[in-house]
Amino acid sequence: MERPPYWLSSIPAQVQTLTKTLTIALLSLLAFTLPAHAKPKQPTPETRLSLEALGFPGASASVLNQGVSVLTVNFVDGDHLLVTYSMRGLLPRLAGDPVDDQDRMVAALLIELPSGKVLARTEWRLHDYAQYLWPLGEGRFLIRIQESLSTFAPLANLASGRSFERISFASRPGVLQAIMLSSDHQLLTVETGKPQPHTDPAAALKAQAAAAVYAARPHFTANASEPPPPTPLVSIPENTVQVTHVHIDFYRIAGAGTPDSPISGQQVGALLSPSILALPIDTDGYLRPLGQSHGGWQIAFHPYTSREIPLAQLDTSCSPHVQRVSPGQLVSLNCRGVSGGVTLVAYDFAQHDIWEDPLPPSVQPPTFSLAPAAGRFAITRISSVDGQQSPQGVPEITTTQEFRVYQTQTGDLLLKLDCNPVFRSQENSDLSPDGMRAAVVRSGNIEIYHLPELTKLDREDLAEVQKLAPPPNSGPIDLNKIFGSQQAATDTASIAAQPATVTVSGDTPAARPRPTLLNPGEKPEFQDKNNPNH
């Protein structure tokens, strides 16, 4: 029998027992009262989906570091996943295809969870390596092929065998500059630009002055940590200048994506800007900066149908990155001082800062996945960390990508994982709409994690937060407070009347094997087990 420590040998047995009991109780109490975000939970994934088995041929670190879109992972609903990836192989030439196009084939798979069964598959021919897919919420997606937009709802049309049937989305013609979706997944912002020559020097100077005004105005953007720079304007040679106007159009999204309820976009506002803007706009209102002081930034939420709602002052020394994560809550990435760290701070619409969590510095803006129905959100950030010195004495910089899931009201950190490898596109993770599952690409697999169920207190918090939400709005998007009535006027007549034609994009027939770069008899390094011809 193990002897007790010498300092306990002289103490009566009853006192020893009481002391041990109190010690265990105290330790249990301390463990219970520690902040949840200081003890991240790392559950074992309920499912691992091999990317090799799904047919993904992989991508080099140099390609991933360029930020090209070669792999996307998105939840359709809590039990289904949409995975798309860039394929390899020779492509047949297209008549009239521009020589500077970068054509490629992209595979799209609808996957059942947790079984990993592939329910539907198709292929798309794309012409560049920029982002091509945006989730519209409620199982709907927007796809870009060159300058054309279309929508599809894979799960809603699964029973009919038309999971990947696409319906064109009518938008303003021109070069697409930016596509953004509101936090409530109901408002789509599409920005298009077209260079226009100005032979009038006065008009050119006026456009340059407008660009300078936009550059000086603080914007709380949903997709950038700093306001975007104005579009560069060429100096005026012989009374002529090229000015690129950016048309910003707002569309209210409706429809389930079925033949009886097609996805539609009703234009509810338009704006002419000299530069690309990322505006924190929702269907019920928008965040608006009120001013900057030595103590930080003062902002408010401006509903379209009611009085402005002042929010808590953001204690930050830099331009903050603000993201609305639920109808009555937002988070901000704040910094203190030039060399200070970054802090994620959560606020509600009652002017309270409810919690904060320090984060490592980031090298690019983060991405968010929202599950307001569960009071949860996920944030993905890429950081650079100084590592050990190289043989030449130069510190080696290690780039990491981190995925976190928070319970918004309490700040509980439900999941914290490193993504491997690092995807600069940040399309390699997602949070399900119901907030119960998370998907992260790690070491050649898509790992699916089942998150903790909501507690009774979580549900009570959700009910309280709902009371702080502004009233819903079904009218036009009114941005007069920010840009003035002339620039923010609705401009539906300027939208080209493009018919919403239906294009069927079903599975590619397997009449003959696709052309590849392999020699006769040579086997590919990776085999698509769901499609033996690839």
Side-chain angles (χ1 to χ4, degrees):
M1 180 176 178
E2 184 179 356
R3 295 181 58 187
Y6 73 92
W7 56 272
L8 285 177
S9 58
S10 59
I11 302 178
Q14 296 86 348
V15 178
Q16 293 183 31
T17 303
L18 179 61
T19 302
K20 292 180 181 179
T21 302
L22 293 175
T23 301
I24 294 174
L26 180 59
L27 291 175
S28 301
L29 180 62
L30 287 174
F32 180 77
T33 57
L34 282 174
H37 56 71
K39 295 175 56 184
K41 298 179 181 179
Q42 303 256 350
T44 302
E46 64 170 340
T47 303
R48 281 190 176 93
L49 306 176
S50 168
L51 288 172
E52 178 182 347
L54 295 176
F56 178 53
S60 65
S62 60
V63 170
L64 298 179
N65 196 46
Q66 294 175 18
V68 299
S69 188
V70 295
L71 175 69
T72 70
V73 177
N74 293 103
F75 279 98
V76 182
D77 64 5
D79 299 316
H80 296 85
L81 200 66
L82 176 67
V83 178
T84 74
Y85 58 81
S86 184
M87 305 169 64
R88 290 178 184 168
L90 294 177
L91 297 177
R93 294 183 181 274
L94 295 179
D97 203 22
V99 295
D100 57 346
D101 271 10
Q102 296 178 310
D103 285 14
R104 57 171 171 156
M105 295 301 297
V106 168
L109 288 72
L110 177 64
I111 301 174
E112 181 185 66
L113 296 177
S115 67
K117 179 182 178 182
V118 177
L119 303 179
R121 187 185 191 279
T122 193
E123 295 176 9
W124 301 312
R125 180 166 183 150
L126 305 184
H127 303 271
D128 54 57
Y129 280 83
Q131 183 176 357
Y132 56 86
L133 189 69
W134 289 264
L136 297 178
E138 300 179 12
R140 306 165 300 182
F141 293 86
L142 180 78
I143 181 174
R144 178 193 63 83
I145 299 179
Q146 289 181 314
E147 306 303 327
S148 299
L149 301 177
S150 56
T151 61
F152 65 97
L155 188 59
N157 295 293
L158 176 63
S160 63
R162 298 180 175 182
S163 289
F164 295 103
E165 180 175 277
R166 294 181 285 118
I167 299 179
S168 66
F169 187 90
S171 59
R172 187 187 302 270
V175 180
L176 289 171
Q177 303 287 335
I179 297 175
M180 288 161 283
L181 192 67
S182 64
S183 61
D184 56 8
H185 287 114
Q186 297 182 28
L187 188 69
L188 182 69
T189 300
V190 180
E191 305 190 18
T192 55
K194 185 177 182 180
Q196 300 177 356
H198 284 261
T199 57
D200 182 3
L205 291 174
K206 183 177 180 181
Q208 288 177 327
V213 170
Y214 272 79
R217 179 186 288 118
H219 294 293
F220 291 86
T221 65
N223 292 288
S225 57
E226 296 292 339
T231 302
L233 301 178
V234 182
S235 59
I236 307 175
E238 298 181 358
N239 298 334
T240 303
V241 67
Q242 284 284 108
V243 179
T244 300
H245 291 301
V246 178
H247 292 272
I248 304 176
D249 298 295
F250 307 105
Y251 301 92
R252 193 183 305 279
I253 304 300
T258 61
D260 297 334
S261 178
I263 301 172
S264 62
Q266 176 191 5
Q267 194 202 17
V268 290
L271 176 68
L272 184 63
S273 167
S275 63
I276 301 172
L277 298 177
L279 302 171
I281 296 177
D282 289 285
T283 52
D284 55 357
Y286 57 88
L287 292 169
R288 177 182 173 220
L290 300 180
Q292 183 182 15
S293 64
H294 295 293
W297 294 73
Q298 185 67 47
I299 66 172
F301 185 79
H302 187 83
Y304 304 121
T305 58
S306 61
R307 189 172 300 177
E308 194 169 74
I309 303 173
L311 302 177
Q313 179 171 291
L314 308 183
D315 182 15
T316 177
S317 58
C318 63
S319 179
H321 178 112
V322 181
Q323 171 71 45
R324 193 178 178 194
V325 293
S326 79
Q329 297 166 314
L330 63 142
V331 297
S332 175
L333 291 171
N334 300 341
C335 60
R336 296 180 177 90
V338 177
S339 59
V342 178
T343 303
L344 180 67
V345 186
Y347 305 87
D348 60 23
F349 275 37
Q351 302 189 43
H352 300 139
D353 50 335
I354 49 182
W355 56 266
E356 63 179 51
D357 196 13
L359 299 177
S362 180
V363 298
Q364 69 182 64
T367 59
F368 287 86
S369 302
L370 309 179
R376 294 172 176 177
F377 72 92
I379 179 173
T380 304
R381 300 175 76 245
I382 295 178
S383 304
S384 292
V385 181
D386 292 337
Q388 298 179 351
Q389 291 188 351
S390 64
Q392 292 76 22
V394 180
E396 295 181 347
I397 298 178
T398 302
T399 302
T400 61
Q401 183 180 8
E402 188 180 71
F403 176 81
R404 298 187 180 200
V405 180
Y406 288 93
Q407 192 74 38
T408 309
Q409 183 62 23
T410 61
D412 290 349
L413 185 54
L414 306 178
L415 186 67
K416 176 183 175 183
L417 293 170
D418 289 330
C419 304
N420 178 28
V422 175
F423 281 71
R424 286 275 183 176
S425 62
Q426 300 189 109
E427 298 174 293
N428 54 333
S429 60
D430 197 20
L431 177 67
S432 64
D434 60 5
M436 294 294 108
R437 279 192 171 109
V440 184
V441 174
R442 290 166 54 103
S443 303
N445 300 294
I446 302 175
E447 296 182 349
I448 308 299
Y449 292 85
H450 197 282
L451 301 176
E453 299 293 331
L454 293 176
T455 65
K456 179 181 178 182
L457 184 58
D458 290 334
R459 300 185 186 279
E460 292 174 353
D461 288 340
L462 280 172
E464 290 297 321
V465 169
Q466 289 294 335
K467 298 177 182 179
L468 303 176
N473 169 57
S474 58
I477 303 301
D478 181 9
L479 301 178
N480 294 339
K481 288 282 187 179
I482 300 181
F483 301 102
S485 58
Q486 185 174 6
Q487 285 181 310
T490 302
D491 189 19
T492 56
S494 64
I495 295 294
Q498 299 182 1
T501 57
V502 177
T503 57
V504 177
S505 177
D507 293 348
T508 303
R512 59 186 176 88
R514 290 181 54 84
T516 71
L517 295 175
L518 300 175
N519 296 320
E522 184 180 359
K523 294 184 178 181
E525 181 180 1
F526 297 108
Q527 182 74 22
D528 186 351
K529 297 182 180 179
N530 297 292
N531 192 340
N533 293 320
H534 298 86

